[in-house]
Amino acid sequence: MIEIKEDRFLDYFRLDERFPHILCPGCGIGTIMATMVRAFIDLGIGQDELCVVSGIGCSSRVPGYLDCDTFHTLHGRALPAATGVKLAKPEMRVVVIGGDGDIMAIGGNHFIHTARRNLDITVIVVNNFTYGMTGGQYSPTTPTHEKATTAPYGNVERSFDICFIAKAAGAMFVARSTTFHVLHMKRMIELALTKKGFSVVEVISQCPTFYGRHQGIGDAVKMLEWLKGSSVDVKKVKDPWQVKDKFVIGVLHDQEEIPPYTELYQEVRNRAKG
Amino acid sequence: MRQLLSGNEACAIGAIRAGVRFFAGYPITPSTEIAEYLARELPKVGGTYIQMEDEIGSISCMNGATAAGLKAMTATSGPGFSLMQEGIGYSVMAELPCVIVNVMRGGPATGTPTRTSQADVMQARFGTHGDHPIVALCPWSVRECFDLTVAAVNISERLRLPVIVLMDEIVGHMREVVELPAEVRLWQPEKPKPPREEYFHYDDQNNYDARIASFGEGYRIHLTGLTHRKDGFPTDEPEIIKWNLDRLRKKIEDNRSWLWDLDYQDLGSETVIVCYGSAARSAMEAKYQFERKSGKRVGILRLRMIWPFPTERLIGLLRSARRVIVPEMNQGQLYREVERTVNLQVGVVSVQRYDGEMLTPEEIIQAL
């Protein structure tokens, strides 16, 4: 018989009036939200020390369902807003959740600079290759030639590799997972939360409503099978940055910690006071 | 202690004295000295200065620090102010008190970075989308840069509203010998006391004096730019959309009596100059020169607070005037407000200069 330990899972949600959520049936964001909460619980991150910040879009609605301090900011501005929170209350755990459009397009500049500054923030980028909430337009991660409502003849742009940009911009920890690999995803989020400094977890997620349908991949189940079939563990590839036809999942970058911004700024205060 | 200060420095000093402990900004002429001063002085008082990647990041970062409980400020100029507009709207909607200093330069676009203008009067009022209230203060001297920055912090705390300090380049960069007060009066909002279950972040009936919580205080608040209920959670119920917008508007309507801040003299005169910022300095000189030469008195009505526009006060104060002159360094932005206020009963003359130079007393005398 499986022994169930005290389950605090539901405590982390605002159950009164906030549910049912607005996400479409089959959406991967619910899986990510639940996995994130499991990671908080297992790491002992309490609700009163936690601030979850988001911008705009489907995944940015996640904070509204969580019972902690939550900050639903403007299009693309989750990271600078989170920066303000972290600088004002360095003792708080600041976690950002957002989509590929929100974090990498409109918020792209903030992403690279927050990584460069090494704020002690964990960012979970939900990558479903499309703008879900506005109805399936192409995003910076939509593969070339694929169709979207604003790319009816196929996308001409090349797509971003979120993890590669995160590493190049100076993130301390970069990992990728998918909504199919739930336990793996939880492990990646836990490692990111444990790392001091700027950490990024890209979670590839299914959007059956606006991405799967347009690409002919089908419903949520088929999309999860697609995620399973097109993922490869980082340990099984020679160079994760050279793999083009699969999603390389796992820890892609984990560098030796350097002091995060808040610690360095405390030194500035000490020097200024002389 | 008497000291030689620029307007920008006095503004930064005022911010620290008013309890501002966080500044996020992006360098832009002619406001940069505010950032430079605060980069040096804020860490000494345990505060934080951060230079963001742009003005959009700056205002968002400031909103974050405010949400986490710090008094925060940013400073910019015209083009940066344009980039901040959406974030200012967020401060209005989420009711985050903060101060935005705009040291005005000429525009549109990059315009005239090192020249002066007063061309952001309407941007301050209507720059961001949607119906919303705003408070904008307009200093005319170095001492007032200090005083009005302190006032801006207090008003923003009291009304949970972003407050804009509109300086023009002349006021920001000029130096004067000033004596700053030993003490400044600060608005001290109380912290909320009810248990979490009974706490509503947007429930104050009077739209001021509210006790609100910040992140990290155990209230588990939800802040959003979406139209929300009193508990902070989004809704699109027509009744609540209206309730929310009414609440925001009433912050100004219900508090006009103490908000309006005007400076005036000789209002019984036939001609009254309605002025603000550095153009008011030229107006004052024009008044003296004209009175010496002609023997006639000229009234001066100086707006230290240009938004909310003091319509009702002005109607009363300008009752005996036959002619109103509005000198400003733009193409007549406040002129239109004044004209609308006096409602065709009084002739209103707009004196404009928008070539990047200061409006001179002579130009105003010509209109007198």
Side-chain angles (χ1 to χ4, degrees), chain B residues 171-182:
Chain B
V171 172
H173 276 163
M174 76 184 171
R175 291 182 168 271
E176 290 182 306
V177 174
V178 287
E179 179 139 14
L180 300 180

Side-chain angles (χ1 to χ4, degrees), chain A residues 39-75:
Chain A
F40 293 149
I41 294 168
D42 286 0
L43 289 177
I45 299 172
Q47 287 155 275
D48 289 332
E49 57 171 310
L50 178 64
C51 184
V52 183
V53 187
S54 69
I56 292 294
C58 304
S59 42
S60 296
R61 288 298 186 101
V62 165
Y65 303 108
L66 300 178
D67 192 19
C68 58
D69 282 322
T70 47
F71 199 11
H72 184 210
T73 69
L74 289 166
H75 316 69

Side-chain angles (χ1 to χ4, degrees), chain B residues 23-210:
Chain B
F23 181 96
Y26 188 77
I28 183 167
T29 304
S31 75
T32 317
E33 294 82 7
I34 298 173
E36 287 169 348
Y37 187 92
L38 291 172
R40 192 171 71 237
E41 298 301 323
L42 271 177
K44 292 183 190 170
V45 292
T48 306
Y49 168 92
I50 185 167
Q51 192 161 301
M52 294 298 287
E53 50 275 14
D54 56 31
E55 287 86 350
I56 301 175
S58 305
I59 188 132
S60 304
C61 187
M62 180 179 74
N63 281 338
T66 304
L70 289 186
K71 284 187 184 175
M73 181 171 102
T74 187
T76 187
S77 184
F81 194 57
S82 297
L83 289 181
M84 286 182 183
Q85 290 299 338
E86 193 189 24
I88 295 173
Y90 190 90
S91 323
V92 171
M93 192 56 138
E95 303 188 39
L96 296 168
C98 58
V99 173
I100 300 123
V101 183
N102 176 3
V103 188
M104 291 181 279
R105 62 198 238 177
T110 26
T112 46
T114 58
R115 298 303 182 100
T116 193
S117 94
Q118 295 179 314
D120 295 343
V121 170
M122 285 298 166
Q123 191 188 187
R125 177 65 193 87
F126 294 111
T128 182
H129 60 281
D131 291 326
H132 66 91
I134 207 81
V135 174
L137 310 178
C138 214
W140 80 327
S141 66
V142 169
R143 172 62 200 261
E144 249 185 29
C145 287
F146 175 90
D147 291 340
L148 294 190
T149 305
V150 174
V153 172
N154 283 336
I155 294 167
S156 78
E157 289 285 315
R158 189 162 169 186
L159 297 186
R160 296 167 65 180
L161 192 70
V163 173
I164 293 158
V165 179
L166 268 184
M167 289 153 62
D168 51 75
E169 185 272 342
I170 292 168
V171 172
H173 276 163
M174 76 184 171
R175 291 182 168 271
E176 290 182 306
V177 174
V178 287
E179 179 139 14
L180 300 180
E183 300 256 326
V184 292
R185 283 175 62 192
L186 297 184
W187 177 256
Q188 301 286 13
E190 285 179 69
K191 278 289 155 197
K193 283 179 188 145
R196 200 170 65 224
E197 301 70 38
E198 293 165 29
Y199 173 76
F200 293 107
H201 199 69
Y202 302 98
D203 194 30
D204 53 323
Q205 296 301 311
N206 300 318
N207 294 305
Y208 66 105
D209 293 12

Side-chain angles (χ1 to χ4, degrees), chain A residues 1-27:
Chain A
M1 211 175 90
I2 304 165
E3 191 190 340
I4 298 173
K5 284 187 281 183
E6 188 198 9
D7 195 350
R8 298 194 50 219
F9 185 67
L10 293 179
D11 294 351
Y12 277 72
F13 294 93
R14 288 165 169 148
L15 293 175
D16 49 328
E17 288 192 68
R18 294 297 300 144
F19 285 84
H21 55 66
I22 62 158
L23 305 168
C24 303
C27 174

Side-chain angles (χ1 to χ4, degrees), chain A residues 68-110:
Chain A
C68 58
D69 282 322
T70 47
F71 199 11
H72 184 210
T73 69
L74 289 166
H75 316 69
R77 314 304 164 208
L79 279 163
T83 299
V85 175
K86 187 69 191 177
L87 291 176
K89 292 241 162 86
E91 69 279 10
M92 285 194 92
R93 283 286 193 148
V94 180
V95 176
V96 171
I97 181 160
D100 43 290
D102 186 56
I103 303 266
M104 299 314 295
I106 189 168
N109 196 29
H110 304 310

